[in-house]
Every structure is written in structure tokens, then in C-alpha cells.
Amino acid sequence: MATDPHQDHRLEPTGPARTVDTQVIVVGAGPVGLLLAGELALRGIQVTLVERRHGPTTESRASTLHARTMEVLDSRGLLADLGTPPCEPRGHFGGIPLDLTLPGPYPGQWKVPQTKTESVLEEWALGLGADLRCGHTLHTVDDHGSHVEAAATDRHGTRVLLRAPYLVACDGQDSTVRALTGADFPGTPAARELLRADVEGLDIPNRRFQRLPAGLAIAARNPAGVTRVMVHEFGAAVRQRTGDPHYDEVAAAWKRVTGEDITGGTPVWVNRFDDENRCLTRYRHGRILFAGDAAHRQMPIGGQALNLGLQDAYNLGWKLAAAVDGTAPAGLLDTYDTERAAVGAAVLGNIRAQALLLLGGPEVEPLRPVLAELIAHEDVRAHLAGMISGLAIRYDVGGPGPPLLGARLPHTVLRTGALVCTTADLLRCGRGLLLGVGGPPPHLDAALADRVDTVTAQTAAGSPLEDARAVLVRPDGHVVWAGTGDGDGLDQAAARWFGSP
């Protein structure tokens, strides 16, 4: 058994343990763990969240939600709880401006503080019955083949033994579960870092990826008057630290790069991130699974890290629930690993390219105008925008087929009888969907009615579903069958993704 890098095992209590039996243990109650817990609880699965912190985070490390994540939250009815966040249609690729607008209801990037995202997801998950246990420090994790056991101590020092058929690590880039299991985590070490601070009382110009002779400077003041500054010195070595940098270090680097003195500001929060780039060899290790930064470590350029993790949870939730309740067809849970590992590798690849363009020294300057010229071509822009926003993800769901196959069900306004709704509304229940467009869909075995809703709807001319007669959609919104009225292949697709009647 590997040791927990965050805990001295000599302090672990050795007395009798309080036992907690549940169906799924989720380690980590950040946005990814909370979304996964809600997805499981939505389907009636008993889920226990174990969190080291003693309460909600006060740090907004990630503040960008992309279009696909907004669609995910819409499909669970959570958008209204976010309020009216500002939207910026313009993003970037390695610091080069990139219009992220694509067809759909939520183009661009939406600025939502992580504290708000977490509070919305926590209220949703707890309202569905998830059990959140803060102040718990994990010591051991063991997969016994038939179940998983995890030993922890609670905030009072009492030993707790948690048992469940499955455990999912959502405990971030320094994952304790990953360390305890010794999961293979190959990749490239950090070569560059960016210092970051939220500071009150600064009066400096806003900067968007300003490359200066000595380094990169970014500054943005929010409506509350807090300025986020980020700075990188070209050629500077990555310092070995045991914690976050001190604000004096940030201010000194800012002065060397920009010539401005920001020592008079009051830091609210200081941290740093680097370009270390790693991904688990496997997202599933028997009955232990990994999601979010526990599965992949990357520079959080353009907010992709948070969105990648949330979409991991959305992909995993319904599959794990089916595995727990016994309705999962053979191999369903393994598709989480194959599908999300491929997406993760692609995102980590584009982040490595962006990190080089953004933090590389003078040697990358010739590349930047060439890429800017390419981005001016619409097909290049749309390709990069689809990659960053998550809208272009298309899973391999079984051979060639129409363009919709494997892609997300496009957002569409529908009429079902006298009711007007959207495709997102039809996914709220967390079950699959057999949608007939313009007429009833082919017959599906009635014994699958507890897993798949059948709906007939009309759509307006010019809608993304205008040419589709019928589609079978997974609970995570991806189309696994598209066909005509004869239903050729429908039963096979239903059996593959939803099991036998």
C-alpha cells in the first residue's frame, strides 16, 4: 500500500472504526465530485462524498464555463441557479484571439466564479440525497474485487471505514487516491510556470496576454474592484515549493516584466500553475475510477481543465449508476475509460501547444502571426472553437453513420402536442431518450421504459434535427443511433447502451 503524501500515517488512529456502507464513494467535493454525486443520486444511487476541507472553498480558481458545459448544466435544470453570468464570445488559442461562437444556445465562455459553481452543484446533489462528509482525511484505499474499502479519520479524529461497490477519485491534481493506488501517471514535467494573484487596491491597466521583452503579463479587474494578475518570466526555472508562492514573489516578477510596482495592493489569494502535462494510463482500475484533475494534469489554459473534469463526471455518472443497479450491459463502464481518455489526450495536446505559444520566449514569435493568419480562415476557427468549447466531441459509438452519430444531440426547440420545450428539457430526468421527429419513432421494447423515454415531437424548418426521423440518445446527451421509420439497428444500439429488457 502506497503512503498518502498529505498525511503522516503515524498519526492514524488504530482503535475501532465507525463503518459507513454506501453504494459509491466519491473522494473530493469540488465541482467534479459534486456533479458526479448529483448524477448518481439523480438515479437513486446512494453516494457518499468524502472531502478533506472542513467547509466550502473560498477560492475561485476556475471561472470559465464553456458552451458544452453550459448545455450539461441546462440538461439538469441548473442554469437558472447560476444567475446571469457575463459571457465573452472571444477566447484565445495560446494567447491569440479566437472567436468561440458556434451554433448553439451558449456560445462563448461564461464567467462563473468556482465558488458559485460549487454552491449550485452542492445544493443540487444534497437535495437529491447525496451524503457530504467534510473534514475527512483519507489514509488507505483497497479494492477487494467485490467491493472497495477506504479508511479515513474525521474532523474529530475518529477512524471511519467506508465500504462500497465502487470508489471514484475526484480529488484533484495532487490526488491522494492516485498516490495510494500507485496508478501510472505518465507525462511531461513542468518547464514553465505562471504566478497568479487576486489583489485589491490596484490601479493598473488591464492587459490581455501582453508579451513583453522579459515575459508575459495579464491583468483584469472584476466589477468588485479585485484585479487578477498573472505573470511569467521567459526562461525562468520552475521553483520547487511546498505551498503557494508569497505575494512578494508575484510583485517582484511583475515589476521585472512590466516595470510596475504592485506592492501596495492587498492580496486576496495567491497561487501558481505550471505546464506539467500528465494523464493516467487508465481511468478505471477495477472498482476504482478517476475523474477530473485526478485523472489528468494540465495547465488550466482557457478554463479547459474545469470543463474537461465536469464532462468526465457527466459521462461517468449514468454508466456507474447502471453498473451499481445491475442494468449495465457488458463493457458499459469500460467505455468511460476509452471515451474520456481519448478526449483527455486531445485536450492535453492542445494545451501543450497553447502553453508553448503563450509562455515560450522569443523563439515562438515567428509561429504566432502564422497561426493568427490561419485562425482568420473560418474552417480553422470553427475547428479550434469546437475543440476548446467541447461542442466538437464525437464518441465512437459503433461504426460509421450519419453526422449525428456519436455527437451531442444539438439544442433544438421542439413541440410535443401543445407543449414547447427543448432537447435539454427532455434529458432532465437522467434517462435515455428515443426521439421521433415529425412522427412516432420505431418501436422499442416496453421493458426498457424505465431507462429510455420515448417522445414524438415536431421541429421547425431549418432546425438541426430537421432531417432526422428518429434518434436514440444516451443520458449524457450523445446520439447512439439515428435512423428512419423502419428502426434498423435500433434494438442492437439499445442493448449495447441500455442493456437487455
Side-chain angles (χ1 to χ4, degrees), residues 97-443:
L98 174 67
D99 182 357
L100 293 173
T101 303
L102 290 171
Y106 311 110
Q109 47 187 3
W110 299 77
K111 295 301 180 180
V112 182
Q114 182 173 324
T115 50
K116 181 64 174 179
T117 302
E118 286 194 14
S119 68
V120 167
L121 292 173
E122 180 178 315
E123 182 179 3
W124 175 64
L126 297 185
L128 290 168
D131 177 18
L132 173 58
R133 299 177 180 233
C134 292
H136 280 57
T137 300
L138 198 65
H139 296 287
T140 63
V141 174
D142 293 291
D143 184 345
H144 292 282
S146 61
H147 68 283
V148 178
E149 292 186 353
T153 50
D154 67 14
R155 66 180 70 211
H156 305 296
T158 303
R159 187 166 176 260
V160 181
L161 180 65
L162 299 108
R163 297 187 302 206
Y166 293 94
L167 179 146
V168 186
C170 302
D171 52 344
Q173 63 179 13
D174 297 317
S175 169
T176 297
V177 177
R178 196 177 62 230
L180 288 170
T181 57
D184 190 25
F185 198 48
T188 57
R192 305 172 184 86
E193 70 176 352
L194 199 63
L195 304 179
R196 176 170 59 175
D198 286 352
V199 191
E200 294 179 336
L202 286 187
D203 184 16
I204 58 174
N206 282 352
R207 293 174 167 89
R208 184 176 174 86
F209 306 114
Q210 184 181 27
R211 286 175 62 88
L212 298 163
L216 174 75
I218 303 165
R221 184 180 299 105
N222 68 22
V226 176
T227 300
R228 173 162 290 185
V229 297
M230 293 186 277
V231 61
H232 166 71
E233 291 185 82
F234 295 148
V238 176
R239 293 181 55 180
Q240 298 300 315
R241 298 182 178 85
T242 56
D244 291 330
H246 193 274
Y247 180 60
D248 289 347
E249 183 183 346
V250 180
W254 186 267
K255 180 68 177 291
R256 290 191 294 269
V257 171
T258 69
E260 295 173 351
D261 184 359
I262 60 172
T263 55
T266 302
V268 177
W269 171 60
V270 180
N271 85 328
R272 44 81 64 188
F273 51 89
D274 57 46
D275 63 348
E276 184 174 0
N277 196 277
R278 298 183 184 278
C279 189
L280 285 176
T281 304
R282 292 176 288 122
Y283 284 24
R284 181 186 179 189
H285 293 245
R287 292 182 175 270
I288 299 173
L289 300 101
F290 296 82
D293 287 348
H296 35 73
R297 182 167 184 158
Q298 61 286 304
M299 199 170 194
I301 293 178
Q304 289 188 91
L306 172 62
N307 291 270
L308 179 62
L310 289 171
Q311 292 166 39
D312 284 347
Y314 194 58
N315 181 288
L316 174 59
W318 68 279
K319 297 173 181 178
L320 184 54
V324 172
D325 70 20
T327 60
L332 178 66
L333 197 52
D334 288 329
T335 67
Y336 166 67
D337 176 59
T338 55
E339 291 180 350
R340 294 308 297 173
V343 172
V347 171
L348 265 64
N350 90 57
I351 286 178
R352 286 186 67 188
Q354 291 193 68
L356 181 60
L357 286 165
L358 193 62
L359 305 182
E363 70 278 5
V364 305
E365 287 300 328
L367 298 175
R368 297 177 62 81
V370 173
L371 183 57
E373 183 177 343
L374 289 173
I375 288 175
H377 293 269
E378 174 56 20
D379 55 345
V380 176
R381 184 207 68 79
H383 175 80
L384 293 177
M387 178 172 63
I388 291 172
S389 67
L391 295 179
I393 293 172
R394 182 176 180 180
Y395 297 129
D396 180 1
V397 295
L404 280 178
L405 194 64
R408 84 195 205 287
L409 180 67
H411 183 91
T412 308
V413 176
L414 303 166
R415 181 178 293 277
T416 59
L419 176 67
V420 175
C421 64
T422 69
T423 44
D425 295 328
L426 298 180
L427 295 171
R428 295 275 167 86
C429 59
R431 294 189 290 272
L433 171 67
L434 178 60
L435 176 63
V437 181
H443 174 74

Side-chain angles (χ1 to χ4, degrees), residues 433-445 452-458 468-473 481-488 490:
L433 171 67
L434 178 60
L435 176 63
V437 181
H443 174 74
L444 187 66
D445 195 308
V452 181
D453 293 331
T454 299
V455 176
T456 300
Q458 306 293 325
R469 275 299 312 275
V471 290
L472 180 65
V473 186
W481 175 86
T484 59
D486 60 14
D488 185 33
L490 174 60

